[in-house]
């Protein structure tokens, strides 16, 4: 993939109108619900195209708009919408592309709340979903029905890092006139730009790397002007799940350091990975850009990088040894999420009752590690003492 051009310009200058706010470097938080008009005719124009200006902050807001324009440029998309969470962005992107009776083909084990939408909410409206192993594009083709309207991807998956061949899936979808949507949260547009590969809708949570400080939620949905305007005029305004001015401001602040943080985390991840791969208590380490990863070659062709998350398994891992390992870590918080300054650990078995743990199911043994911005040796020493203690 060609590296992202103009990244410094996008992050520092694009869409900022500093002369209009006292040449402040940091933009103001435009904490206003509504905007006034000089004439009824001007208000009427705003009603006709709410995306053309500022009317009411459930739609667009000046602080959110600076963020929106930067994120669209990073995604190399014509436009984007910023939501109050990644889950809200998924909801809007999917809902906009299905109607009663339609069918979705989704990669298996997508993000929890995408799956809950497919399994619990959409069936109430007669919309069905088929899950496929996305490591082979033929599986998508085999699952298509005459009434399939959406192919939903997540590449890489945030636990297994399984990836889909995006160019192949795009070619298949275009041949059948099907919309493609991807969860690009793991990579962010710094490391993967699905729109440039032909994907219609690229979604990412902004809660993770864009924020970078574990202090706000947000979500991004990028695509063509036509697709984004359609979603704005319907799902976005109707559900009212747009980003608030203050949270948009926090995300703008996070965005300033996104490339620097990813660069740092990438270096740390490699060091932690090399340490874990040689530790005698470790069975397997999963990381998409490690040469041992089954889809390493494909990952290299469509991703510019990978960092932060990796999944490990312990030799002869039991619920007890996994629990002891996680609880022995002194500098990794036991918590969901990732992308912040702080390192984290979460075992898959946290979502299982002890009786349901199957030691022969490798996924039950998964322990996901996120390396944050700490010193690599600080983290490695901690992992070492915890591993040696089990
Ligand atoms: C966290 C996450 C989401 C959802 O984002 P929120 O901002 O928490 O709603 C979606 N996809 C992946 C892969 C995630 O990790």
């Amino acid at each position: 993939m060609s590296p992202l051009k103009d990244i410094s310009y996008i992050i520092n200058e694009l869409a900022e109108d500093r002369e209009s706010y006292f040449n402040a470097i940091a933009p103001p938080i435009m904490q206003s619900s509504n905007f006034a008009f000089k004439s009824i005719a001007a208000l009427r124009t705003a009603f006709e195209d709410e995306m053309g200006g500022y009317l009411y902050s459930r739609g667009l807001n000046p602080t959110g708009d600076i963020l929106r324009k930067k994120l669209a440029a990073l995604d190399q998309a014509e436009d984007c919408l910023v939501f109050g969470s990644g889950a809200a962005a998924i909801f809007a992107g999917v809902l906009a592309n299905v109607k009663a009776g339609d069918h979705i083909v989704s990669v298996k084990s997508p993000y929890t709340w995408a799956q809950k939408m497919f399994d619990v909410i959409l069936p109430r409206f007669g919309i069905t979903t088929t899950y496929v192993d996305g490591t082979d594009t033929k599986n998508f083709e085999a699952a298509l029905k005459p009434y399939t309207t959406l192919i939903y991807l997540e590449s890489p998956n945030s636990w297994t890092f399984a990836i889909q061949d995006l160019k192949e899936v795009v070619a298949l979808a275009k041949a059948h006139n099907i919309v493609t949507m991807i969860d690009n949260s793991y990579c962010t547009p710094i490391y993967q730009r699905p729109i440039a590969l032909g994907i219609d809708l690229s979604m990412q949570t902004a809660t993770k790397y864009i924020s970078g400080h574990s202090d706000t939620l947000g979500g991004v949905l990028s695509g063509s002007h036509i697709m984004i305007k359609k979603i704005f005029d319907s799902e976005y305004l109707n559900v009212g799940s747009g980003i608030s001015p203050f949270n948009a401001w926090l995300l703008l602040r996070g965005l300033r350091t996104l490339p620097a943080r990813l660069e740092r985390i990438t270096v740390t991840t490699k060091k932690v990975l090399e340490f874990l791969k040689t530790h005698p208590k470790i069975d397997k380490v999963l990381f998409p850009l490690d040469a041992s990863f089954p889809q390493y070659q494909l990952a290299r062709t469509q991703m510019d990088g990978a960092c932060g998350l990796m999944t490990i398994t312990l030799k002869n891992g039991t619920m007890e040894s996994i629990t002891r390992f996680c609880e022995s870590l002194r500098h990794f918080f036991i918590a969901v999420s990732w992308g912040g300054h702080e390192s984290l650990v979460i075992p898959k078995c946290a979502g299982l009752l002890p009786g349901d743990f199957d030691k022969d199911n490798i996924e039950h043994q998964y322990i996901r590690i996120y390396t944050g911005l700490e010193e690599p040796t600080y983290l490695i020493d901690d992992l070492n003492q915890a591993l040696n203690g089990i």
Side-chain angles (χ1 to χ4, degrees):
M1 219 173 182
S2 57
L4 190 56
K5 276 195 231 118
D6 303 330
I7 187 164
S8 299
Y9 169 75
I10 293 169
I11 286 176
N12 293 292
E13 289 149 80
L14 178 74
E16 320 232 11
D17 185 13
R18 294 190 166 102
E19 283 179 18
S20 74
Y21 38 80
F22 312 104
N23 296 307
I25 300 294
I29 303 167
M30 204 62 75
Q31 192 70 32
S32 184
S33 58
N34 48 354
F35 299 85
F37 291 82
K38 281 221 164 70
S39 68
I40 300 300
L43 178 59
R44 186 173 298 121
T45 304
F47 282 149
E48 280 165 8
D49 177 18
E50 191 168 340
M51 222 179 166
Y54 303 118
L55 167 74
Y56 189 58
S57 286
R58 175 150 36 76
L60 299 183
N61 168 280
T63 309
D65 243 16
I66 301 173
L67 178 66
R68 172 176 150 247
K69 288 175 182 157
K70 287 180 191 290
L71 291 171
L74 286 179
D75 264 332
Q76 296 181 327
E78 287 177 4
D79 210 340
C80 87
L81 292 170
V82 190
F83 293 79
S85 73
I90 295 171
F91 199 82
V94 170
L95 204 63
N97 288 292
V98 287
K99 63 179 185 326
D102 284 348
H103 175 248
I104 297 168
V105 179
S106 169
V107 68
K108 71 171 184 185
S109 308
Y111 180 68
T112 319
W113 292 98
Q115 188 155 353
K116 291 220 180 178
M117 179 178 191
F118 299 147
D119 293 348
V120 179
I121 295 181
L122 294 184
R124 290 183 358 221
F125 306 94
I127 298 158
T128 51
T129 302
T130 304
Y131 296 104
V132 298
D133 174 352
T135 58
D136 186 347
T137 308
K138 287 196 194 75
N139 296 334
F140 288 97
E141 189 161 18
L144 294 182
K145 297 183 193 289
Y147 45 99
T148 304
T149 58
L150 179 69
I151 294 182
Y152 186 88
L153 310 172
E154 181 177 322
S155 187
N157 176 281
S158 71
W159 275 85
T160 64
F161 312 110
I163 62 180
Q164 299 98 59
D165 187 321
L166 301 187
K167 278 189 183 157
E168 274 185 18
V169 177
V170 163
L172 173 72
K174 287 205 191 304
H176 291 85
N177 213 6
I178 295 169
V179 171
T180 46
M181 175 168 169
I182 189 173
D183 184 336
N184 192 36
S185 297
Y186 179 83
C187 280
T188 83
I190 304 290
Y191 282 159
Q192 180 169 264
R193 287 167 301 284
I195 298 280
L197 298 175
I199 296 281
D200 295 309
L201 278 173
S202 184
M203 170 272 157
Q204 61 170 320
T205 170
T207 310
K208 316 286 169 56
Y209 281 131
I210 307 286
S211 155
H213 294 76
S214 304
D215 52 10
T216 180
L217 283 93
V220 189
L221 192 62
S222 291
S224 68
H225 282 307
I226 291 174
M227 177 71 90
I228 293 299
K229 175 134 176 45
K230 172 180 118 153
I231 295 172
F232 176 83
D233 285 335
S234 185
E235 288 78 12
Y236 191 81
L237 284 174
N238 229 316
V239 181
S241 53
I243 191 86
S244 70
F246 181 63
N247 285 353
W249 186 87
L250 282 173
L251 293 172
L252 269 170
R253 189 168 76 151
L255 194 59
R256 308 281 193 207
T257 57
L258 176 69
R261 284 184 284 107
L262 289 197
E263 210 174 298
R264 159 93 177 185
I265 293 169
T266 298
V267 171
T268 305
T269 303
K270 279 206 185 87
K271 291 184 178 167
V272 169
L273 191 73
E274 290 315 317
F275 163 76
L276 289 172
K277 278 168 67 176
T278 56
H279 197 284
K281 296 270 174 75
I282 295 284
D283 184 31
K284 275 202 184 60
V285 184
L286 283 175
F287 182 70
L289 285 185
D290 186 69
S292 69
F293 188 71
Q295 295 179 289
Y296 174 60
Q297 292 305 339
L298 176 59
R300 286 207 321 173
T301 63
Q302 60 186 29
M303 290 158 56
D304 287 344
C307 67
L309 292 180
M310 67 183 86
T311 294
I312 60 172
T313 52
L314 304 177
K315 280 196 183 132
N316 306 315
T318 60
M319 207 148 170
E320 293 69 35
S321 63
I322 293 168
T323 303
R324 191 155 356 108
F325 166 70
C326 294
E327 292 178 352
S328 309
L329 288 164
R330 294 171 191 145
H331 304 309
F332 289 74
F333 295 98
I334 297 174
V336 297
S337 199
W338 45 276
H341 56 92
E342 78 290 8
S343 291
L344 303 169
V345 65
I346 186 164
K348 202 79 180 181
C349 68
L352 297 172
L353 295 171
D356 295 334
F357 185 84
D358 173 3
K359 68 173 178 26
D360 297 324
N361 181 341
I362 186 73
E363 298 213 354
H364 286 187
Q365 307 220 16
Y366 283 172
I367 304 170
R368 191 176 75 178
I369 286 175
Y370 166 71
T371 59
L373 293 168
E374 302 90 338
E375 285 297 323
T377 50
Y378 184 72
L379 300 178
I380 289 168
D381 289 350
D382 193 25
L383 288 163
N384 197 30
Q385 65 79 21
L387 285 169
N388 292 338
I390 53 175

